[in-house]
Amino acid sequence: MTTQVQTLGATRTNERLGAVVLAAFFGLGLVFMAGFAPAQALHNAAHDFRHTQNFPCH
Ligand SMILES: [Zn+2]
């Protein structure tokens, strides 16, 4: 019983950590990849996103 609870807790923590890492990876990837994308619309979208996140821009 106790082992089962600890296992569930550890699994939940690992899933949360994985979600945070995944979100950070996609977030940074979106900002940098969209920032260098040739498409003007994509660039503007990334630009707006940077401003909403107070990302140093210009
Ligand atoms: Zn800007």
Side-chain angles (χ1 to χ4, degrees):
M1 188 60 176
T2 305
T3 305
Q4 192 177 14
V5 171
Q6 286 174 342
T7 303
L8 284 172
T11 303
R12 212 172 293 134
T13 303
N14 286 339
E15 284 177 359
R16 198 186 308 140
L17 183 67
V20 169
V21 171
L22 204 65
F25 178 78
F26 278 121
L28 288 173
L30 190 73
V31 168
F32 287 108
M33 275 166 40
F36 291 111
Q40 193 68 31
L42 203 59
H43 174 86
N44 286 341
H47 190 191
D48 291 345
F49 179 77
R50 280 199 292 266
H51 277 264
T52 59
Q53 302 298 314
N54 285 331
F55 195 84
C57 173
H58 59 92

